[in-house]
Structure formats: structure tokens, C-alpha cells
Amino acid sequence: MSLLHDLLEFNEQFVNSKEYEKYVTTKSPDKKLVLISCMDTRLTELSTKALGLKNGDIKHIQNAGAVISHPYGSTMRSILVAVYMLGADEVMVMGHHDCGFGALKPEPMIDNMKQRGITEETFETLEHSDIDITNWLKGFDSVEESITESVGKIKHHPLMVADVPVHGTVINPENGKVDLVVNGYKS
């Protein structure tokens, strides 16, 4: 049996027993918030439960490090869709202590890619296309600085309306304590 098979088998039972009914909600977030957090498995439920949120309260976007790496990338596009089409009135970027992305060094990851079959030619093509793969894969030194930078990219995006507060927070993945880094009501 494969993981996929196990997941689909569970899903069949989930649907047949109507377990989904307790999760039914609308497309628009009840709390009118879009939360961007790290994809760390420790935060899957902790990031929302630590704030008293439940299914349907927010739009939740997760990526490596809760980083806005490109102003016209998929994360920023999702934030804009949440604000303009799904009723989100506030944005919160939530990083966390002990973040694997923060500690990420590009060289070991590139070595791992090569060991798994990505060719040197591919890296050369990227380099000749002005893509600095080493810089693109580099983590950050300070989670607070990274969150502040991502908040700034959202707040000052040319397509983001000025009256949407953009907050920055950092959560402790061991106990759920959330610290405020940027108060979007004051910026």
C-alpha cells in the first residue's frame, strides 16, 4: 500500500460517514483575515489554535518561512485575491522561532538536488538566465527581520490598498506564544 492509497481510502470513509459536515463553511473568511505562516508541520494547527481561530475564520497561506520572496509570486497573488475577492480586511504574517527555512544553507540543498538527479547543466542554465539559485534558496538570519521585510513588501505593494492593516508576528512552536513584531494598525 502507498501513502496515496491510504489517504484516498480514508477519504472515502470520511465522505461516506459525512465527517465533512462539521467543516462546511463559506469561501469568505468570517474574521476577514488572511494569515501567511510557515509550512512547518508544528504550525499546521498551532498557528490558528493559538489565536483562537477555527475552520472558516481566515484564509490561510503557508509557505517556507512565511516569506514573500517575489512581489508578483503566488503568495502575493493569493493575498490580493483574499483581500479583493474574498473579503479579507487584514493581513497577518506569522513567522516562528526555530524555523528550518531561516537556518537553510543553499549548498547542502543544491548538493541534495544533484544527488537526486538534477544536472549541473540545469544549474548552469539557471545561472545564464540570471537566476541566482544560491541566493534564492538562502534562508534568513533573523525571523523578526524577515517578517518585517515581508510585511513591508505586502503593505507597499502597488496593488495593495492602503487601508488594509498588515501585521507581523512570531510564534513559539513549542508553546504557541505569539509575539507582535509589526502592529499594522500603527503603520
Side-chain angles (χ1 to χ4, degrees):
M1 295 273 184
S2 68
L3 175 59
L4 177 60
H5 180 344
D6 293 345
L7 295 173
L8 293 175
E9 188 175 290
F10 177 87
N11 177 257
E12 187 176 342
Q13 295 170 8
F14 179 85
V15 171
N16 289 339
S17 65
K18 297 187 179 198
E19 286 292 312
Y20 61 87
E21 289 178 348
K22 60 185 168 187
Y23 302 105
V24 172
T25 186
T26 66
K27 291 180 184 179
S28 298
D30 294 338
K31 302 275 185 183
K32 303 199 179 301
L33 173 75
V34 57
L35 173 67
I36 301 91
S37 68
C38 184
M39 64 183 195
D40 188 304
T41 55
R42 298 172 292 175
L43 302 183
T44 301
E45 291 190 52
L46 183 63
S47 59
T48 54
K49 300 297 184 196
L51 297 172
L53 300 170
K54 65 182 183 342
N55 187 51
D57 281 348
I58 63 168
K59 289 297 180 186
H60 195 179
I61 302 165
Q62 293 179 280
N63 69 21
V67 172
I68 307 299
S69 58
H70 193 284
Y72 295 96
S74 62
T75 301
M76 191 64 220
R77 179 178 56 226
S78 296
I79 294 166
L80 293 171
V81 168
V83 169
Y84 289 110
M85 301 305 295
L86 299 172
D89 292 333
E90 298 192 33
V91 177
M92 179 185 287
V93 182
M94 178 186 282
H96 68 96
H97 298 290
D98 189 33
C99 182
F101 186 73
L104 184 66
K105 304 292 183 241
E107 294 78 11
M109 187 165 171
I110 291 169
D111 289 344
N112 193 340
M113 290 175 177
K114 290 176 181 177
Q115 289 172 10
R116 294 183 69 177
I118 305 300
T119 65
E120 188 63 42
E121 181 181 327
T122 299
F123 289 101
E124 290 171 8
T125 300
L126 291 170
E127 183 179 335
H128 294 309
S129 301
D130 287 331
I131 297 171
D132 183 349
I133 197 74
T134 302
N135 189 50
W136 184 65
L137 291 174
K138 183 180 175 204
F140 49 79
D141 295 323
S142 162
V143 66
E144 292 84 2
E145 288 176 15
S146 176
I147 293 304
T148 301
E149 185 178 317
S150 287
V151 165
K153 286 179 182 176
I154 298 166
K155 187 69 181 165
H156 302 294
H157 193 281
L159 299 176
M160 179 55 73
V161 66
D163 65 353
V164 172
V166 183
H167 314 288
T169 59
V170 176
I171 189 170
N172 182 329
E174 293 179 15
N175 62 22
K177 181 173 185 328
V178 176
D179 295 314
L180 184 63
V181 176
V182 178
N183 183 339
Y185 298 133
K186 294 183 179 183
S187 54

